[in-house]
Amino acid sequence: MYVPCPSCPLRRKPAFRQKGEEEVAVINSMKSDHLTLEAGSEFIHPEQSDAELYTLFAGWAFRYKELGDGRRQILSFALPGDLIGLQASLFEKSFYGAIALTDIQLCVIPRRRMLRLFERMPEIAYDVTWLGARSEALVDENLLSVGRRGAGERIAALLCSLYKRAEPLGLVKEGVLELPLTQQHIADALGLSLVHTNKTLAKLRSQGLFTISGGHLVIRNLRGLSRFAQHFEEDLAPRPLI
Amino acid sequence: MYVPCPSCPLRRKPAFRQKGEEEVAVINSMKSDHLTLEAGSEFIHPEQSDAELYTLFAGWAFRYKELGDGRRQILSFALPGDLIGLQASLFEKSFYGAIALTDIQLCVIPRRRMLRLFERMPEIAYDVTWLGARSEALVDENLLSVGRRGAGERIAALLCSLYKRAEPLGLVKEGVLELPLTQQHIADALGLSLVHTNKTLAKLRSQGLFTISGGHLVIRNLRGLSRFAQHFEEDLAPRPLI
DNA sequence: CGCCTTTTTGAGAAATATCAATCGCAGTGG
DNA sequence: CCACTGCGATTGATATTTCTCAAAAAGGCG
């Protein structure tokens, strides 16, 4: 399957800034491939030296780092429209790995074309930089969580954040968000152990702020959950889609 | 005091990539000011809507975020040559604050000139993006620390990282690095309490891997400290200086 | 049904936080 | 010179949080 950028359904979502035809055409010309990968595939490897730049077209993924003895930290989750691999494609080697959480589709922008892209269309270069900055903002927020929020607050903040990001992508249907995270993923993202994550999650659920089962998340009171988590950031929108 | 980019002493350090005259001239033309600020000054405020882009010319600074009730997380430390404020200058408002740790000097690049910069010199735009990605990499590494390393490892990793970054800037003299961090800063950066930071630091010191007193850090065994911290990242060098 | 992954539970151990002083030292005013 | 003040470092005692280990329960799937 190959989706040409001008007819990309993502581009029409409210989450994204509408672009002119010419710009979309240039983006399309940069795109070298459209990949389909199974859940669990690692498409950027730690230490990999020739990673490409990707836009996640469909599905969920995450970036992670790990220590020598196997301890793993998830750095950020990626949703459709997110750019993945900017660092990895800019540097000589990647300092992180990226794995598909669900089956995914990726638009590929070859790293070699990056500089040419900067020369050819400065607006797009600006947008790439913007998206890189947004990616850092996501990690910043995560670091705040892991460093300063308690276990319950961390989980609440993560759910809020994902929900707020998923909504303008049209991923929330009738109040239900399909969340492909296992409790292990949540623990890995929040710097918690699996067991503690499970117990804390149970406690939160029992307070009635949200429901989560079988991969379906329903937030009964987003305002209240945000307040509990002290999570007050809205997702920046509209944003560019490369 | 005003330092024109072509005669910038920083630019000659081994940490930085040497640039052509023309490029340096353009950078110089972008620079609108050279500020001198006292230690403790906050030069980017959380929520600020019109932050400029800065290059730290001299001194140390840090970026931070905080929760409503005052809990504070330091996101990253900035050393000379580092770009600060890319997110803040790209977005409508800043999601973090930035404060001078020591007396500092900043080169100012007005946010308004950013897009023009992208049009005028794609190589520089590429470098800005590169520096933004490096900034994210620093936060990634911090998040790994806070999420997965124990207190001792966190401190060791932080010291290693700062030392490895300071060295190519010529800030390490006869094995001694002047470290302007208070234990409270270390605690804020690592997601630890002040008391625990103090006790852990004392324990580490007693193991003889390093010495730290009166703001002077001497690492006796960088290899050993790195191994203990499981910190194996070298600072990327050479890198662009904007 | 049997096998695998994920979730859940219980119990005890370890790490880290909090509270409350005290100490050391540099600057400051008398 | 000395008392006084303020900030950062240090210490001891105690309270919480979070982790680890071990095992059982619950689903999903061929």
Side-chain angles (χ1 to χ4, degrees):
Chain A
M1 165 159 39
Y2 192 94
V3 178
C5 302
S7 57
C8 176
L10 255 190
R11 204 167 280 288
R12 282 179 235 123
K13 303 283 183 190
F16 302 103
R17 189 193 305 155
Q18 301 309 311
K19 286 180 173 297
E21 272 183 39
E22 191 195 354
E23 236 180 295
V24 175
V26 172
I27 293 172
N28 192 46
S29 74
M30 291 292 159
K31 178 173 167 180
S32 75
D33 209 351
H34 187 101
L35 300 178
T36 298
L37 299 179
E38 282 185 5
S41 312
E42 180 167 79
F43 56 96
I44 297 178
H45 307 279
E47 313 271 312
Q48 181 179 346
S49 65
D50 56 353
E52 309 289 14
L53 180 61
Y54 302 99
T55 290
L56 185 54
F57 172 77
W60 293 49
F62 64 88
R63 295 192 309 121
Y64 75 96
K65 271 177 101 105
E66 56 190 8
L67 295 175
D69 59 9
R71 283 174 284 178
R72 178 171 86 163
Q73 176 67 38
I74 290 181
L75 303 168
S76 60
F77 293 103
L79 271 59
D82 289 346
L83 212 51
I84 313 179
L86 187 58
Q87 277 184 54
S89 69
L90 248 22
F91 301 157
E92 286 166 18
K93 67 165 190 181
S94 179
F95 292 111
Y96 58 86
I99 295 181
L101 262 173
T102 62
D103 290 349
I104 62 173
Q105 294 176 51
L106 293 170
C107 306
V108 184
I109 302 170
R111 50 162 29 211
R112 302 236 185 85
R113 293 190 193 169
M114 286 281 277
L115 190 50
R116 192 159 16 118
L117 172 86
F118 272 67
E119 284 159 2
R120 188 161 156 200
M121 189 145 281
E123 304 92 305
I124 299 179
Y126 189 87
D127 286 345
V128 168
T129 309
W130 195 99
L131 288 170
R134 173 173 176 275
S135 170
E136 183 184 18
L138 290 178
V139 184
D140 285 349
E141 179 65 32
N142 251 273
L143 178 52
L144 174 63
S145 264
V146 176
R148 291 297 167 209
R149 284 192 249 246
E153 295 169 318
R154 283 184 218 184
I155 293 178
L158 176 62
L159 295 181
C160 277
S161 157
L162 292 175
Y163 193 92
K164 288 174 184 169
R165 288 170 63 192
E167 179 128 56
L169 294 170
L171 295 175
V172 178
K173 285 158 196 146
E174 328 229 335
V176 182
L177 170 61
E178 245 183 83
L179 203 66
L181 305 183
T182 167
Q183 293 186 359
Q184 183 69 64
H185 290 124
I186 297 177
D188 285 352
L190 300 180
L192 297 169
S193 72
L194 172 60
V195 174
H196 195 59
T197 299
N198 176 277
K199 288 173 177 166
T200 307
L201 202 42
K203 204 175 300 176
L204 284 180
R205 256 186 318 225
S206 76
Q207 317 213 314
L209 287 167
F210 61 86
T211 281
I212 184 171
S213 78
H216 293 281
L217 169 68
V218 179
I219 297 189
R220 302 220 173 283
N221 180 353
L222 183 55
R223 190 71 55 84
L225 193 60
S226 294
R227 197 172 330 117
F228 171 75
Q230 305 219 28
H231 181 281
F232 303 113
E233 285 181 15
E234 303 299 319
D235 193 26
L236 289 160
R239 59 180 192 273
L241 175 62
I242 305 292
Chain B
M1 165 159 42
Y2 193 95
V3 180
C5 302
S7 57
C8 176
L10 255 190
R11 204 168 280 287
R12 284 178 232 122
K13 303 282 183 191
F16 302 103
R17 188 192 307 155
Q18 300 309 313
K19 285 180 172 296
E21 271 182 39
E22 191 195 354
E23 233 178 300
V24 175
V26 171
I27 292 172
N28 192 46
S29 74
M30 290 292 160
K31 178 174 167 181
S32 74
D33 209 350
H34 187 100
L35 300 178
T36 298
L37 299 178
E38 282 184 5
S41 312
E42 180 167 80
F43 56 97
I44 298 178
H45 307 279
E47 312 272 313
Q48 180 179 348
S49 65
D50 56 353
E52 310 289 13
L53 179 61
Y54 302 100
T55 290
L56 185 55
F57 172 78
W60 293 50
F62 64 88
R63 294 193 310 122
Y64 75 96
K65 270 176 103 102
E66 55 189 9
L67 295 176
D69 58 8
R71 283 174 284 177
R72 178 170 86 165
Q73 177 66 38
I74 289 181
L75 302 168
S76 59
F77 292 103
L79 271 59
D82 288 347
L83 213 50
I84 312 179
L86 187 57
Q87 276 185 56
S89 68
L90 248 23
F91 300 158
E92 284 166 19
K93 67 166 191 180
S94 179
F95 291 112
Y96 57 85
I99 295 182
L101 261 173
T102 63
D103 290 349
I104 62 172
Q105 294 176 52
L106 293 170
C107 305
V108 184
I109 302 170
R111 51 162 30 210
R112 303 237 186 86
R113 295 191 193 168
M114 286 283 277
L115 190 49
R116 190 152 23 113
L117 172 88
F118 272 67
E119 284 161 359
R120 185 159 159 202
M121 188 145 280
E123 304 93 304
I124 299 180
Y126 189 87
D127 286 345
V128 168
T129 308
W130 195 100
L131 287 170
R134 172 172 175 277
S135 169
E136 183 183 19
L138 290 178
V139 184
D140 285 350
E141 178 65 32
N142 250 269
L143 178 52
L144 174 63
S145 265
V146 175
R148 291 298 165 205
R149 284 193 250 245
E153 295 169 319
R154 284 183 218 183
I155 293 177
L158 176 62
L159 296 181
C160 277
S161 158
L162 291 176
Y163 192 93
K164 288 173 184 168
R165 288 171 64 192
E167 179 129 56
L169 293 171
L171 296 176
V172 178
K173 286 158 195 146
E174 326 231 338
V176 181
L177 170 59
E178 245 183 83
L179 204 64
L181 306 184
T182 174
Q183 293 186 358
Q184 183 69 65
H185 290 124
I186 298 177
D188 284 352
L190 299 180
L192 297 169
S193 71
L194 172 59
V195 174
H196 195 57
T197 299
N198 176 277
K199 288 172 178 166
T200 307
L201 201 41
K203 204 176 298 174
L204 285 180
R205 257 187 316 225
S206 76
Q207 316 213 318
L209 287 167
F210 62 86
T211 279
I212 186 171
S213 77
H216 292 280
L217 169 69
V218 179
I219 296 188
R220 302 220 173 284
N221 180 354
L222 184 56
R223 190 71 55 83
L225 193 60
S226 295
R227 197 172 329 114
F228 171 74
Q230 304 218 30
H231 182 281
F232 303 113
E233 284 181 14
E234 304 300 318
D235 192 27
L236 289 159
R239 61 179 190 273
L241 175 63
I242 306 291

